[in-house]
């Protein structure tokens, strides 16, 4: 996939060996702004959406195109407005030939913020995306990354009150501007997530990029598996986290979580209408303590979820001085993936946490 800056539009290319490529003669997506040649809408990403069995494209467009996202004859004379901003657009196809469902899916709320692009992928049963947020204030003009999630690949939530997920460095630092490239999904090696990104040490606008020491390089961010965000306890008393109803499909439950000090997590299994299931009360649950990627919940054989298989249940977690990242149902045992313990001081840093 490429964008032609002369003929203006997004084109597909094909190759039998990955070396010699042939480009389609016509663009598969050309917007009115593309036709008019006054908008730079080149940033885009495409994935094969395994949850929809469709090809999906995310690209930046302008709000002026909200009524019609596909160019028509005569759009070459489309007039440029006084104010131009970038927002996120969407389209999908079952065969890479017939495209449809064009729409705008995300618009920034602040006048000095634009969405320059988004890399998105399927993660289990949800969508995880890295939104490229351009800050256009004259004293800033850089790009950082916010985490977004969705259950349908169209309606996205900017996580953790729109806090920065991958922050840019200070001015003239190697990653003053960050773009997570077109890496379709993170690389996971030994429970460590590797996220590669493009980094620039110059301002986005003006001639700053012409400085002799202005460079574009590759950066790498790493973090333990599933530690994208967390729910963290606030006040000293016990906080409670209850899941939505779901059907039990696998026999064992593991949680990715951390506690500190005297903190702990205990679980119980409820019916859909909030009644405790016999044998699965909090008092009968094991106590989770420490910091690990896979704490087993319910150590006794009688507390395995296979005893409530195919039932619709809720899980209720009672937490104190704790941080909850993720949970997973499994058929096999998981390595605990023990991480360094947290202190109460370290737990105060929660840039990607929501306080319960």
């Amino acid at each position: 996939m490429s964008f032609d800056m002369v003929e203006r539009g997004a084109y597909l290319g094909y190759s039998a060996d990955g070396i010699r490529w042939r480009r389609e003669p016509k663009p598969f997506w050309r917007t009115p702004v593309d036709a008019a040649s006054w908008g730079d809408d080149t940033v885009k990403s495409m994935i094969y959406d395994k949850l929809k069995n469709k090809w999906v494209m995310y690209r930046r467009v302008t709000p002026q195109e909200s009524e019609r996202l596909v160019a028509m004859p005569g759009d070459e004379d489309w007039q440029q407005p006084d104010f131009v901003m970038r927002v996120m657009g969407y389209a999908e196809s079952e065969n890479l030939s017939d495209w449809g469902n064009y729409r705008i899916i995300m618009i920034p709320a602040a006048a000095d913020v634009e969405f320059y692009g988004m890399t998105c992928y399927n993660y289990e049963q949800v969508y995880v995306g890295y939104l490229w947020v351009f800050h256009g204030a004259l004293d800033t003009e850089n790009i950082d990354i916010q985490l977004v999630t969705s259950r349908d690949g169209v309606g996205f939530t900017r996580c953790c009150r729109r806090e920065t997920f991958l922050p840019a460095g200070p001015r003239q630092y190697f990653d003053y501007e960050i773009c997570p490239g077109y890496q379709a999904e993170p690389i996971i090696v030994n429970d460590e997530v590797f996220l590669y990104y493009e980094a620039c040490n110059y301002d986005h606008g003006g001639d700053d990029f012409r400085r002799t020491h202005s460079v574009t390089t590759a950066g790498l961010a790493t973090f333990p598996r599933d530690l994208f965000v967390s729910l963290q306890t606030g006040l000293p008393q016990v906080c409670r986290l209850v899941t939505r109803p779901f059907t039990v499909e696998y026999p064992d439950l593991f949680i990715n979580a951390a506690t500190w000090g005297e903190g702990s997590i205990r679980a119980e299994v409820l019916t859909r209408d909030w009644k405790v299931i016999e044998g699965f009360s909090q008092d009968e649950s094991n106590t989770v303590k420490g910091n690990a990627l896979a704490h087993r919940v319910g150590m006794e054989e009688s507390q395995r979820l296979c005893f409530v298989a195919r039932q619709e249940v809720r899980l209720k977690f009672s937490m104190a001085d704790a941080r909850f990242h993720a949970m997973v149902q499994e058929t096999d045992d998981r390595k605990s993936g023990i991480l360094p313990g947290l202190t109460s001081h370290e737990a105060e840093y929660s840039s990607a946490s929501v306080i319960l």
Side-chain angles (χ1 to χ4, degrees):
M1 180 177 63
S2 65
F3 190 94
D4 192 309
M5 293 295 291
V6 177
E7 299 181 25
R8 309 293 296 183
Y11 292 79
L12 288 175
Y14 303 91
S15 173
D17 57 12
I19 299 175
R20 291 169 289 272
W21 289 81
R22 174 179 61 84
R23 197 191 78 175
E24 287 283 271
K26 295 182 179 181
F28 71 94
W29 190 356
R30 192 173 191 234
T31 69
V33 170
D34 292 341
S37 298
W38 53 256
D40 176 14
D41 299 328
T42 63
V43 178
K44 59 205 174 303
S45 64
M46 181 188 295
I47 65 168
Y48 183 74
D49 189 333
K50 296 184 290 290
L51 301 180
K52 297 178 181 177
N53 294 321
K54 293 181 179 181
W55 294 93
V56 169
M57 181 173 178
Y58 299 94
R59 65 166 290 180
R60 70 186 189 197
V61 294
T62 69
Q64 288 80 11
E65 298 171 312
S66 59
E67 295 183 4
R68 179 166 50 83
L69 286 169
V70 179
M72 297 177 62
D75 284 341
E76 293 78 9
D77 299 324
W78 187 294
Q79 294 300 307
Q80 180 173 351
D82 294 334
F83 177 72
V84 177
M85 66 184 299
R86 279 87 168 195
V87 302
M88 288 310 305
Y90 171 94
E92 61 187 27
S93 171
E94 294 182 354
N95 53 20
L96 290 178
S97 177
D98 303 307
W99 288 82
N101 198 16
Y102 300 96
R103 60 172 72 184
I104 290 175
I105 60 172
M106 277 192 289
I107 297 177
D112 61 348
V113 170
E114 299 182 52
F115 295 158
Y116 260 46
M118 183 176 72
T119 306
C120 180
Y121 56 91
N122 299 133
Y123 192 79
E124 301 296 343
Q125 298 302 308
V126 299
Y127 298 79
V128 174
Y130 306 115
L131 182 65
W132 315 3
V133 181
F134 171 64
H135 303 274
L138 293 178
D139 59 342
T140 307
E141 285 201 354
N142 70 348
I143 298 174
D144 55 28
I145 306 304
Q146 292 181 7
L147 190 70
V148 295
T149 60
S150 173
R151 294 189 179 275
D152 62 5
V154 175
F156 281 87
T157 298
R158 296 164 68 185
C159 298
C160 299
R161 304 182 183 94
R162 303 179 180 181
E163 292 187 21
T164 300
F165 177 70
L166 189 59
R171 179 172 262 111
Q172 297 187 8
Y173 197 61
F174 89 97
D175 59 357
Y176 181 62
E177 286 192 288
I178 293 178
C179 297
Y182 300 98
Q183 181 179 331
E185 55 189 80
I187 297 170
I188 302 177
V189 179
N190 297 326
D191 289 330
E192 191 83 3
V193 177
F194 288 72
L195 177 60
Y196 296 90
Y197 61 91
E198 178 183 301
C200 308
N201 68 344
Y202 47 84
D203 288 355
H204 181 76
D207 293 328
D208 193 38
F209 72 95
R210 300 182 187 278
R211 293 179 296 123
T212 56
H213 56 282
S214 292
V215 294
T216 300
T217 56
L220 171 64
T222 64
F223 53 92
R225 174 173 49 83
D226 291 340
L227 266 65
F228 293 99
V229 295
S230 68
L231 291 169
Q232 180 172 315
T233 57
L235 299 174
Q237 61 261 37
V238 174
C239 297
R240 292 173 178 84
L241 169 64
V242 182
T243 69
R244 296 178 178 180
F246 67 94
T247 301
V248 175
E249 298 179 352
Y250 301 99
D252 294 307
L253 177 68
F254 298 88
I255 62 172
N256 185 331
T259 68
W260 53 91
E262 299 300 316
S264 64
I265 301 175
R266 303 189 76 176
E268 60 185 357
V269 184
L270 313 178
T271 62
R272 181 184 178 89
D273 56 356
W274 303 84
K275 296 179 180 179
V276 178
I277 296 177
E278 184 178 354
F280 290 87
S281 69
Q282 176 182 309
D283 292 338
E284 296 168 290
S285 171
N286 66 309
T287 301
V288 170
K289 297 180 73 71
N291 187 9
L293 299 178
H295 297 280
R296 179 187 286 275
V297 177
M299 296 298 291
E300 299 295 331
E301 180 66 22
S302 61
Q303 288 185 307
R304 298 181 69 197
L305 291 182
C306 58
F307 289 94
V308 289
R310 293 181 293 280
Q311 296 184 41
E312 195 174 35
V313 303
R314 301 176 189 266
L315 295 178
K316 179 180 177 181
F317 297 94
S318 297
M319 305 165 49
D321 290 337
R323 183 181 293 171
F324 192 107
H325 292 282
M327 70 176 188
V328 62
Q329 298 179 68
E330 276 282 9
T331 55
D332 301 313
D333 197 12
R334 277 197 165 201
K335 292 188 297 183
S336 59
I338 297 175
L339 300 176
L342 293 180
T343 66
S344 58
H345 175 72
E346 291 171 321
E348 291 175 1
Y349 174 69
S350 55
S351 64
S353 298
V354 173
I355 304 299
L356 294 175

